Amino acid sequence: MDPKTLKPGVSPKEVWSWAAFDFANSGYTTVVLTAVFNAYFVSVVAGGEAWATFLWTCVIAASNALGLFAMPVIAAIADRTASKKRWLFAATMLCIAGTAGLALAGPGTIVWASLMVIVSNLGYNVGETLNSAFLPELAREESVGKVSGWGWSFGYCGGLATLGLSLLLVTSGERFGLGFDARVAGTMLITAAVFAIAAVPLFLFVKERAAPRSIEKAEVKRLAAESLREVARTMKSLGRFCDFGLLAFCGFCYQSGVSVVITLSAVYAAEVMGFTTEDTILMVFLVNITAAAGAFAFGYVQDRIGHKRALALTLCVWLAMIVTAALAETRALFWVAANLAGIAMGSSQSAGRAMVALLAPKKRLAEFYGFWNMALWLAAIVGPLCYGAVSWATGNNQRLAIWVTGLFFLAALVVLMPMKLERGMAAAAQQNAMDDAA
C-alpha cells in the first residue's frame, strides 16, 4: 500500500483495518443473501410455493425500508456527535445476532426466518453506510478509487473465506450425520462467527477524526426530526449539487439490478438451471474470485481513465451479463454470465462509493453518504420486488423477470451520461469554503 494515497496521519494499518470490515460483512451478503439462505428460504422454509420467491423479495424489501427510514436519523446523530464507530458497532452486533438466529430456521418457520433476515439485513445496511463514511477521512481525493477498490477486493476475500468454510460444511457434513437443515444452520453460524472476528480490527485501530459537537438526551428527538428535514434539504440542494443527484439516480437504477443478482441469483440458478445447493455455493465461490480481481483492478482503472468512464464500462458488462443469463440454456453459458456479474459487481459498487467521496462536502459526509445509501436501499426494495412480481404474475417465468432486470442497467447508463464529475467537485469545494467561513 502506497502511503502517498493516504491522508496525513493515516497509517496503512488503519486502512487495512477499515478494509477488514468489508472482509467481515461480505460473508453475510455472500452466504445469507446470495448463495445459501435465499434458495433455502424459497424451497424449504416457504415449501417451494408459487409465491415463495415473491415472499422472499418482500422480506428483503421490508428490511431495506426500515434502513431507509432509520439511516437519516443515525447519520445525523453520528455526524453531530462524531460517533460513527459506536453506531457501527451496534449495527454490527445486530447483523451478527440476526445471522446466528437464522440457524434456528427450518421448514415452516416463515415468521422467525423473515424476522431474522430483516434484523440482520438492517444491521448490515447501516453498518455498510457508516463504514463507507470513513473513506474520505482516510484517502486523498485523487486516490479514493484505489482505496475503495482495496476495500471491495479485500471484502470479496472475506466472502470467499466464509463461503469456503460453508462449502466444506455442506459437502462433508453428511458424512458426519448432519442433515441438510443442520448443514444450512451451520453455515449461518459460520457466517456470524467470521463477521464477529474480522470486524475487530476496525474498532481497535480506525480513528474517529470528526470533531464532536455536544448533544443532550432531550435533543435526540429534535435531532431525529431535523434529520428527516435534512433529507428534504439534501433533495432541495440537488439543484446546486446536480451531479451528485444524477449519480444518486444512476446508483438507484443500477443497484436495483445488482440487488436482484445478489438476492435472487441462487433462486434463478435452482429454478431455471437446476443447480443444487452445492453447485450454487461452488459457483458463487468462484465468482467471488472474479469479483475480488475486478474490484481491485477497477480501483486503478477508475483513477486512470476516470470514475465516470469506469462506471459506464461496468454498466455495459452488466448488460452483457443479463443477455447471457437470459439466453443461457447450458450450465457453461450460465457460468459465463455469473463471472461477468462477478467482474461488474465490485467494480460498480466501488466506483459509486468513490464518486460520492468526491462529490460530498466535507462537513456533510455522513449526510450525503446517508442519502446515497438511501437511494441504494430504495433500489434494493424496487429491484427484487419487480423481479418477484414479474415471476409471480407470469407463473414463475424467471427468464422474463431477468430481462426486465436488464432495463435497470440500461436506465443507469442513460442517466450517467449527462453527469460531470469536475462540475460536481467544484460545487462541493464551494460548499466547503462556505462552511469554513461560517
Side-chain angles (χ1 to χ4, degrees), residues 14-69:
E14 190 175 359
V15 175
W16 282 118
S17 298
W18 168 79
F21 191 83
D22 279 336
F23 182 101
N25 68 12
S26 288
Y28 171 78
T29 56
T30 303
V31 175
V32 177
L33 301 183
T34 304
V36 179
F37 198 80
N38 51 356
Y40 182 77
F41 183 95
V42 170
S43 62
V44 177
V45 176
E49 297 289 344
W51 41 261
T53 298
F54 184 61
L55 176 60
W56 170 253
T57 62
C58 288
V59 170
I60 295 299
S63 66
N64 286 304
L66 284 175
L68 194 64
F69 287 104

Side-chain angles (χ1 to χ4, degrees), residues 269-282:
E271 297 289 325
V272 178
M273 306 304 300
F275 276 42
T276 64
T277 300
E278 291 86 347
D279 293 334
T280 303
I281 293 177
L282 179 60

